[in-house]
Amino acid sequence: MKPDKLRFLLPLLLAIACAQYVAGQAKKPQIVILATGGTIAGAAATGTQAGYTSGAVTIDSMLAAVPGVRELANVKGEQISNVGSQDISFDIMLTLARRINELLARNDVDGIVVTHGTDTMEETAFFLNLVVKSDKPVVMVGSMRPSTAVSADGPLNLYNAVGVAVDPQAKGRGVLVVMNDWIHAAHSLTKTSTTAVQTFMSPLRGVVGTANYGKNDFYNTPVWKHTTASELDIENVNQLPRVDIIFGCADMPADLIDASVAAGAKGIVIAGVGNGNMNKAALEAAARAAKKGVMVVRSSRVATGSVGRNVEVNDDEMGFIASDELNPQKARILLSLALLKQRSREDIQKMFYSY
Ligand code: ASP
């Protein structure tokens, strides 16, 4: 080819390549990653030590460790907080939920990924499930090993989370959690091991699906009310009412319940033994609390199963609420949000059956 022809052809080819690139970018879903901290953003001095600091790495460094993620979507990161999830507060949950609602209301955002520590992942996931007002995918993700560990699980978890967030099948299933190739529903998952990579289970309902290098299979649709069907709302809310969890055990000291009421709790969740049971003294203290207008929910310290009304405890007579399938930490989230408005005990019981 003659050099002067090449002079015309080269810019033309370059322009075509640029146009193709821009068109490709425009076609890709827009995903915003909101980072809150956790082990996924954790760092240790060596790759093989157990000790590390949660929330030490920024979202940009995390993304740099996930090759190929930008082929799935146009991703943009925002740092909401950078803490271990043991330090996630209602303040952070409210900020996160508000930002998600703001972003999802925009036409140029197709889904959200939230990076989060695993310790309280189920609480934030359930909170968001109740107050996000969009059916676009919201996918939470964490890791059990810090980013500096040998075989860190964070990068693939994050890749898979983005893969779920861009999947149209993820729409309308409420907040999802992607960990170790499994997709869980916010209502049903729980952390079951302090250290194992395969820590999250959904014991009663099973997983919603699986995520495999960006390819997903969905088996289940959560049956519980969530997001756009939820009546719970955090607009104009800056603080949540105090709800305490009291752990049941043999020879349980009942004065913990009285102390919680005296400290100003508006609700108490008992992590009871078995089917939400507690000894006679604790039952009497809980009934006293209920008489004073404190909402008392019976949940269970047992890892799976539901707590039914009027089984071994006469809830009707004592004025209690049964937690149904919600474990104590999720029962606390639902009760805190339910107490934002004046609601009867019967109405709150119904909420425990439907959320
Ligand atoms: N303590 C850490 C956290 O929840 C544990 C983890 O992320 O796996 O932030």
Side-chain angles (χ1 to χ4, degrees):
M1 194 175 297
K2 285 190 183 152
D4 56 333
K5 263 200 180 157
L6 208 61
R7 228 180 43 225
F8 285 111
L9 210 58
L10 266 178
L12 188 67
L13 287 174
L14 207 66
I16 292 173
C18 279
Q20 275 175 342
Y21 175 78
V22 170
Q25 291 296 100
K27 255 195 274 149
K28 274 192 226 163
Q30 309 287 327
I31 301 297
V32 181
I33 305 188
L34 300 178
T36 67
T39 297
I40 192 166
T46 71
T48 50
Q49 70 185 60
Y52 65 94
T53 312
S54 262
V57 172
T58 62
I59 180 60
D60 293 327
S61 324
M62 274 156 67
L63 279 170
V66 191
V69 73
R70 292 187 195 277
E71 279 151 39
L72 294 174
N74 294 324
V75 288
K76 223 182 100 213
E78 274 181 35
Q79 201 80 43
I80 298 287
S81 62
N82 212 354
V83 296
S85 71
Q86 54 272 42
D87 283 319
I88 289 282
S89 58
F90 279 142
D91 266 356
I92 298 177
M93 286 192 208
L94 286 167
T95 305
L96 181 63
R98 285 211 180 90
R99 185 66 185 135
I100 293 175
N101 280 332
E102 228 168 65
L103 287 165
L104 291 183
R106 282 168 34 180
N107 290 333
D108 62 348
V109 176
D110 298 301
I112 302 284
V113 169
V114 178
T115 61
H116 196 285
T118 60
D119 288 354
T120 60
M121 174 90 84
E122 60 198 271
E123 282 153 89
T124 303
F126 190 52
F127 182 89
L128 296 177
N129 203 44
L130 299 175
V131 301
V132 165
K133 303 289 172 209
S134 169
D135 70 349
K136 293 180 188 171
V138 176
V139 182
M140 293 190 64
V141 65
S143 77
M144 288 301 284
R145 295 179 181 146
S147 65
T148 46
V150 171
S151 297
D153 51 332
L156 183 54
N157 282 348
L158 185 50
Y159 184 87
N160 278 334
V162 174
V164 171
V166 300
D167 191 332
Q169 297 181 88
K171 258 188 146 183
R173 293 182 199 256
V175 173
L176 300 172
V177 175
V178 172
M179 284 284 298
N180 211 27
D181 302 351
W182 285 4
I183 309 168
H184 300 266
H187 173 276
S188 304
L189 92 155
T190 191
K191 186 172 183 177
T192 64
S193 164
T194 51
T195 54
V197 169
Q198 181 52 22
T199 184
F200 281 101
M201 300 282 171
S202 292
L204 275 177
R205 296 281 167 172
V207 294
V208 169
T210 55
N212 208 339
Y213 297 99
K215 302 233 168 349
N216 311 311
D217 281 313
F218 284 87
Y219 316 135
N220 256 324
T221 302
V223 295
W224 305 91
K225 272 165 101 173
H226 58 76
T227 56
T228 48
S230 169
E231 74 212 74
L232 295 158
D233 195 12
I234 48 144
E235 228 178 62
N236 307 318
V237 171
N238 295 313
Q239 217 189 340
L240 292 178
R242 175 171 171 162
V243 174
D244 293 342
I245 298 177
I246 298 178
F247 201 84
C249 55
D251 206 23
M252 176 178 178
D255 56 6
L256 288 178
I257 297 172
D258 298 318
S260 167
V261 177
K266 301 286 176 273
I268 296 176
V269 175
I270 311 278
V273 295
N275 198 346
N277 291 316
M278 60 204 101
N279 62 20
K280 213 163 160 286
L283 273 178
E284 283 166 10
R288 268 197 305 279
K291 249 208 176 110
K292 286 189 179 151
V294 175
M295 291 290 171
V296 178
V297 174
R298 289 188 310 107
S299 182
S300 177
R301 68 178 195 177
V302 180
T304 179
S306 60
V307 170
R309 268 194 87 76
N310 299 325
V311 180
E312 287 182 71
V313 174
N314 191 331
D315 292 300
D316 293 344
E317 214 171 272
M318 304 194 104
F320 301 154
I321 293 160
S323 74
D324 198 55
E325 286 187 22
L326 293 182
N327 65 19
Q329 54 273 33
K330 287 192 203 165
R332 175 171 175 263
I333 298 286
L334 177 55
L335 187 56
S336 305
L337 288 167
L339 287 172
L340 285 170
K341 256 176 87 177
Q342 186 80 28
R343 288 184 164 95
S344 70
R345 195 168 282 136
E346 291 69 31
D347 284 347
I348 296 182
Q349 178 67 75
K350 277 188 205 142
M351 292 175 97
F352 274 84
Y353 289 141
S354 49
Y355 287 95

